[in-house]
Every structure is written in structure tokens, then in C-alpha cells.
Amino acid sequence: SKDEPAGKTGFAHLFEHLMFNGSEHAPGDYFEPMQRIGATDMNGTTWFDRTNYFETVPTGALETALFLESDRMGWLLGGLDQTKLDNQRGVVQNEKRQGDNQPYGLVEYAQLDALFPDGHPYRHPTIGSMADLDAASLDDVKAWFRAKYGPNNAVIVLAGDIDVATARPLMEKYFGAIPRGPDVTPAAADVPTLAAPKAETMKDHVATTRIYRNWVVPGLTDPELVRLDIATSVLGGLSSSWLDNILVKGEKIAVSVSASVQPFERVSLLEVTADVKPGVDPARVAARLDAIIADFLAKGPSADEVQRVATREVAGRINGIESVGGLGGKATALAEGAIYAGDAGFYKTQLAQYGAATPADVLAVARKWMSRPAYALTVEPGERSAYDEAKAMPPGGSHQPAWFRKPGTTPAVVPAPAPAPAAAPAGIDRSQLPPVGDIADLDFPTVQHATLRNGIKVSYVQRTNAPLTKLTVSFDAGNAADDRSKLGLEAMTLALLDEGTKTRSSIAIAEEKERLGVAIGASASMDRTSVGLTALTPNLVPSLDLFADILRNPAFVPAEIERVRAQQLAGIQAELTSPQAIAMRALPVLLYGKAHPYGVPYTGSGDAAGVARVTRKDMLAFK
């Protein structure tokens, strides 16, 4: 979306949708033939810098996938008509309404408007303007396609059960005849700095006041970005972060906090947030938030904190690339490096930067970028003001939103080169899909079974494609087992498992998980409760020691109980501001009735009255 000219906002995302509506030689819905060949992880996404499409298919059906992908790259316009445009325009606009209608759903507009000057490529959101989407003509979107979707502006990754000797002829066969498009130079963009601190307050249908601090920082290939990510993780991204330990666990004036860097190609957004505990003065939390940031910039992280972030990053990357496809798998890791850094192995460069970072490096970069003027936004409960994405209409009443165009300027026109349609190479019959080849039978790993002396049934499967071990302990009790007079008891019990044991404090547990690179979490459905572990295999023994202590010996410390109770009550109030959560709370009672075991909220959080009544004795008994 950063490459969209004025008056054409939302085009990249609109085209992501149109690409699933058929092409010249595959005129029907794109999903149907993909589903017939068993495709999974099939989707597309759009963001400021790129549009991507992905699917995972059986090897024997690879040619079908390449046929469809190449047809919508080379022959899309032959299958595009006004009806499809109108249909997907409506889908995208409804997606925009849904996003805007969420709690805090208007925050991104305010942030981009405040942080980026007029004309900056990152100033308008990817979803675009309703008016621009309304005004998009069939000729407009065809011109956008011709200008941006040529093969010379694309990266394709094949990952999995294929080698180069097989892949290259297939790529030549299906994509080789598609002519180059116009040369594309992605929009350049500097990293803006506010001239002075800027503060705004917004009212919204939210349950808690949220305080934001934002800065624009360098893009994802800048070596300083990794150090900034480490800094924000130590400040508010780790479970044992400064903000968590002080505001949430220590002073208990916030119910949640965060700090992170959202990376883009040319710039990134650094964000720090705190959700104020109901009943606490937001000004007090804001002052403490700023004081903690200042203290962090004065002292910096410890070597242990830097190492914990690096370990977490390595563990997260390994966990992601255990999968071939999807949004976090091998194919995505390779594609991101190729498209942004010109190096499919860029993930290795980044991991090396995490491993080499020192506390002094991290502090220096944090001071450099976070000492600049910040954008401070406070979103507090109240009635939204009349929502108009074009808050200040330019003279003459132009539809172009104020956050995109200076008053009086004229929207640029998308260049519309019209190259000759691609010619199908000899030997390819595009009148029908290629036949699906042999698909090997699935070779499932052997499942071993055992029963421990105490009756625990154990199932074990060995896989060696990643140095990870995953464990799930399941219990035959879920939300339906909640005490009806104390709905939310199970959720509170599960939340407190890792908030202190007989020998470990809440903070000690968080730090140990980070040092080991282990993820431990509990969840529940209507009928089952599961406590899971994902560990780096070299760290499996100490990870299991920690996991067993959390599962068997939770202390249910009174002070931690009251903190978690406040967080759960705030969460229930937040659910009542979200359309989806409201439905999940209301539907079970309507389906089953209040007396039925399943007539409880699907969210599992219970109700405010029940959570208020839960005691330590109740949790010990439930456990």
C-alpha cells in the first residue's frame, strides 16, 4: 500500500482479493480447484510493502498449483469483470467496517496521521479509503495490475518435497512465457521525526483506558532494528519485562503492558502500551510509564536480559520453520529475505545479530531512537465522536481523506502500460488443468504407548525435522466443569499455574522460561483442559523440571490471585465491547439454556459475579 498514489488507496489489498476470483483460463473461484487437490494453508495477505499468496499442496499436485498461480499472474485480466470488482469491493469495505468497529479500531488512523507527514508513503493505512474504493473503476484496477504484477516484481518460493532440478523446468514451463512488466521501484521513504512531542486523547467503546507511546524507527534491513527489538522486548515484550514487573506485578496499576517494534521495508513502528487497571488514575499510569522508559534509557538492559531475548527469538524462529508453509514456515522465511533484503538467507543474518548484541549496543540504539519526541495517544472509555475518516475535507469537498492528501492537490494517475497478453508456450494446454500426478501414501510416524504406574497414559511420537520437543498434558474437564455459582474459576486456576509455585516466584518462572526458550501455557475447551510445553530439545530436561513444578505445585499466592482476578474482570469487560466476543458469550445460553453444562460463555472467562466470588480454596480444589 505504500506504493499507491493519491486517490488510489486500498488498491493493493483490493487486488489481493480479486486475485482469488479466477483468471482467463481458470475463470471460476480460485479456492475450489485448490481444495480439490487438497491444498492447505491457502490464503493471501497485504501490508504496506508487499502482497503475498501462499498454499501448501501435495507434491503430485504441484503442477496444478503452478498452473493456477501462473494464470493469475499472466492472464488475470481476461477473467476480471465489473461484477467481480463490485463483489470484492464490497467484501473489502465490509472488512474495513469490521476492523474500524473493533475496540481501539480507529487507533491506526490517528497514529499514521500523527507520525508521518503529508505525502509520506506510510501515512495511509493498507485498508485504504472508502471513497477511493468506491471510485475504483475497472480500468483503474486493470492499470494497477499491469503496473505492479509483472513477473519481474515477484518472488516465488517452492519449499518442501522438491529439488532444483525438478523445480526449474516447471517454473520455466508455467511462468516463462509471461512477459516482463514495467520496471518497478518501490517507494522510497525516510524515517520521520516529530518536531515536538505530540499528545492526543480519543474516546472509544473500550473497557479500559489504553496509553500509547509511538516512534518511527528504521526499516527491517537496518542492523539497528534488531537492537531496538531487543530493547523493546526487555522493556515490555518479555513476560519478565520492566513494565510487566513494575506496573502489572509490582505496583498493580496496569492490567497489561506491551512494547514492540513492527518492522516494514523502509521504516518500522515502535510502540509501548499500558492498559490502565480500572479505578486507577490514567495520569498516574502515564507518568509511571514515562518514568520507567526514562529509567530504561538511563540504565539499559542487563546481559542476562539481552541473552533471554536472543534465546526467545531463536526458539520462536525454530518453532516457525518446523512447518514448510503457512505464514511462519520455511517458505515465508525465504520469501521475506529475498523480497526485502535480496537474500533468501537473511533470517540467518538477523539471528546472528541477535546473538552478537551486547547491552551497550542495545542501550545506545534505544537512546538514539527513543529519546526523540514521542507521539502519546490515550484511548479512554466513552462515546466515539462522529467517525469520518476524512476529518477535514479539502476545499471543494474532494473525497480524498485528509490523512493522505494535502488540500488542493490532484490525485496522481496510476501508469497504465498495456503489454501484449502472454502467449502460452508450446506444449501447455491452458484449456484445462494439468492432471494430478501420483500422490504417495502418507507415512505416519509410529505412535508408541505406555502407562505410568500412577495411571497416566502416555503417547509418544518421534520427529527429527526440528530440534523441538512438544508435550501436551490433557485432563477430562473443561469450561463445562466450572462451578455455576463461580463461572470463571477454571480460567483463574489456569492463569495462576505459572504465577508462582512453592519454590519459584512469578518473576522467577518468567525468567527461567526465557532463559530456556521454553513456552508453557494452559488452555481449555468445553470438555478438556490442556497444559502444553514447547521446548528446545537440548534444554528439554530443565524445561520439564519447570513444567512439572508449574503443573503440580502452583502456590496460588493471595497477592497474585487478586492481580489475576483484576485482569480477568477487565478481560470480561473488554469482551463486552467486541462484537465477536459478545456473540461467543451469548450463543451458548441461547443454544443450550442456562441449566445445560454447555450453556456457559465460549470465551471461558466466566462472568464478573462468579470471578469475584472465587477463593484460593476453590482453586486448590479445582486443581
Side-chain angles (χ1 to χ4, degrees):
S1 59
K2 79 170 186 302
D3 302 298
E4 296 164 344
K8 310 294 181 185
T9 66
F11 270 42
H13 180 233
L14 176 60
F15 234 97
E16 177 214 315
H17 283 250
L18 290 169
M19 292 277 273
F20 285 101
N21 270 235
S23 52
E24 182 176 337
H25 305 105
D29 182 272
Y30 186 83
F31 291 98
E32 194 274 334
M34 280 293 190
Q35 289 167 342
R36 270 193 281 127
I37 64 173
T40 58
D41 292 325
M42 176 175 50
N43 213 329
T45 64
T46 309
W47 209 217
F48 285 97
D49 303 303
R50 55 99 187 111
T51 303
N52 69 341
Y53 306 90
F54 50 91
E55 58 264 337
T56 303
V57 299
T59 304
L62 175 61
E63 288 204 50
T64 304
L66 294 178
F67 176 97
L68 291 167
E69 287 289 2
S70 62
D71 211 67
R72 65 178 177 179
M73 179 183 286
W75 293 269
L76 180 84
L77 297 186
L80 181 61
D81 58 28
Q82 189 66 44
T83 300
K84 291 179 179 179
L85 172 59
D86 292 342
N87 174 271
Q88 290 307 309
R89 188 204 323 266
V91 172
V92 169
Q93 289 182 324
N94 196 49
E95 189 176 322
K96 178 178 170 67
R97 293 184 193 99
Q98 285 180 296
D100 292 354
N101 195 39
Q102 293 299 315
Y104 311 102
L106 305 183
V107 165
E108 184 187 27
Y109 300 119
Q111 290 172 325
L112 299 181
D113 190 61
L115 291 166
F116 294 102
D118 286 340
H120 196 283
Y122 289 86
R123 185 175 168 93
H124 70 279
T126 297
I127 196 68
S129 151
M130 281 288 195
D132 284 356
L133 291 167
D134 277 335
S137 70
L138 192 60
D139 286 342
D140 285 336
V141 294
K142 285 183 175 181
W144 172 259
F145 175 80
R146 294 188 187 108
K148 301 297 183 183
Y149 283 76
N152 47 304
N153 195 36
V155 164
I156 299 179
V157 172
L158 304 183
D161 182 24
I162 191 167
D163 56 29
V164 173
T166 306
R168 186 174 184 89
L170 288 175
M171 290 299 298
E172 293 283 1
K173 177 180 178 180
Y174 288 102
F175 290 86
I178 302 173
R180 289 177 60 89
D183 290 335
V184 177
T185 303
D190 59 359
V191 180
T193 296
L194 295 177
K198 182 173 184 177
E200 293 182 320
T201 298
M202 174 190 296
K203 293 188 182 296
D204 199 357
H205 294 291
V206 296
T208 56
T209 296
R210 180 172 295 171
I211 299 164
Y212 293 82
R213 299 291 183 266
N214 285 106
W215 295 265
V216 183
V217 296
L220 61 81
T221 58
D222 192 304
E224 291 189 329
L225 188 70
V226 163
R227 297 170 202 165
L228 276 171
D229 184 56
I230 294 172
T232 55
S233 295
V234 173
L235 178 62
L238 296 173
S239 298
S240 65
S241 71
W242 288 39
L243 294 177
D244 243 301
N245 289 350
I246 297 171
L247 295 181
V248 179
K249 297 174 182 175
E251 299 173 12
K252 299 180 177 64
I253 59 176
V255 291
S256 67
V257 293
S258 71
S260 62
V261 176
Q262 191 172 47
F264 302 119
E265 183 178 20
R266 307 296 195 193
V267 303
S268 301
L269 295 180
L270 193 158
E271 179 174 278
V272 181
T273 72
D275 284 8
V276 178
K277 182 179 178 180
V280 176
D281 182 3
R284 175 187 171 195
V285 180
R288 287 296 291 131
L289 178 67
D290 291 333
I292 294 166
I293 294 172
D295 192 38
F296 178 80
L297 295 180
K299 299 174 182 177
S302 67
D304 182 55
E305 287 170 326
V306 171
Q307 183 63 37
R308 295 201 316 259
V309 175
T311 302
R312 186 189 67 169
E313 184 67 23
V314 170
R317 176 62 81 177
I318 290 173
N319 192 41
I321 63 174
E322 183 184 21
S323 298
V324 173
L327 276 172
K330 297 179 178 72
T332 297
L334 297 170
E336 286 181 346
I339 201 113
Y340 292 133
D343 174 15
F346 183 64
Y347 69 94
K348 298 179 188 178
T349 302
Q350 287 186 308
L351 288 176
Q353 290 170 349
Y354 279 99
T358 66
D361 295 335
V362 172
L363 178 58
V365 171
R367 284 175 174 170
K368 174 180 177 180
W369 294 102
M370 295 179 69
S371 294
R372 298 175 304 147
Y375 172 55
L377 175 65
T378 301
V379 182
E380 59 187 24
E383 289 299 316
R384 279 185 174 181
S385 57
Y387 168 44
D388 183 352
E389 64 184 7
K391 291 179 287 187
M393 287 291 187
S398 168
H399 70 265
Q400 183 58 41
W403 40 254
F404 189 75
R405 182 174 133 220
K406 293 181 180 179
T409 59
T410 302
V413 177
V414 179
I428 293 183
D429 178 6
R430 285 200 174 262
S431 67
Q432 57 186 352
L433 292 175
V436 175
D438 293 335
I439 297 179
D441 290 340
L442 287 176
D443 183 16
F444 285 110
T446 301
V447 182
Q448 302 178 55
H449 300 281
T451 301
L452 304 187
R453 284 175 297 183
N454 59 9
I456 295 177
K457 296 178 180 178
V458 181
S459 299
Y460 174 73
V461 174
Q462 185 172 36
R463 296 180 63 190
T464 57
N465 64 329
L468 294 172
T469 299
K470 298 185 179 184
L471 171 70
T472 299
V473 179
S474 293
F475 300 91
D476 185 12
N479 296 336
D482 242 352
D483 184 331
R484 285 312 183 90
S485 67
K486 297 175 181 179
L487 279 181
L489 165 61
E490 182 186 38
M492 282 194 69
T493 303
L494 297 184
L496 281 153
L497 290 181
D498 63 352
E499 295 293 354
T501 67
K502 296 172 183 177
T503 57
R504 291 174 167 95
S505 69
S506 173
I507 293 176
I509 289 172
E511 291 180 352
E512 192 169 352
K513 286 196 291 186
E514 291 156 3
R515 289 189 192 99
L516 294 169
V518 61
I520 297 173
S523 62
S525 63
M526 279 295 187
D527 300 305
R528 183 171 65 175
T529 298
S530 299
V531 186
L533 167 146
T534 299
L536 296 170
T537 301
N539 294 344
L540 179 59
V541 172
S543 298
L544 284 172
D545 287 341
L546 176 61
F547 180 76
D549 192 35
I550 288 171
L551 188 56
R552 298 178 64 187
N553 305 310
F556 299 111
V557 178
E560 301 291 1
I561 290 174
E562 295 312 310
R563 174 173 64 81
V564 170
R565 191 194 312 276
Q567 290 175 314
Q568 191 159 327
L569 289 170
I572 291 171
Q573 291 303 309
E575 288 174 4
L576 297 176
T577 66
S578 165
Q580 175 109 7
I582 290 170
M584 291 178 71
R585 294 185 66 84
L587 186 62
V589 176
L590 297 173
L591 281 174
Y592 298 107
K594 290 184 178 180
H596 195 281
Y598 293 165
V600 296
Y602 282 147
T603 61
S605 55
D607 58 49
V611 170
R613 283 193 288 267
V614 172
T615 67
R616 181 175 186 271
K617 183 178 178 180
D618 295 328
M619 284 184 274
L620 285 166
F622 190 94
K623 184 263 179 182

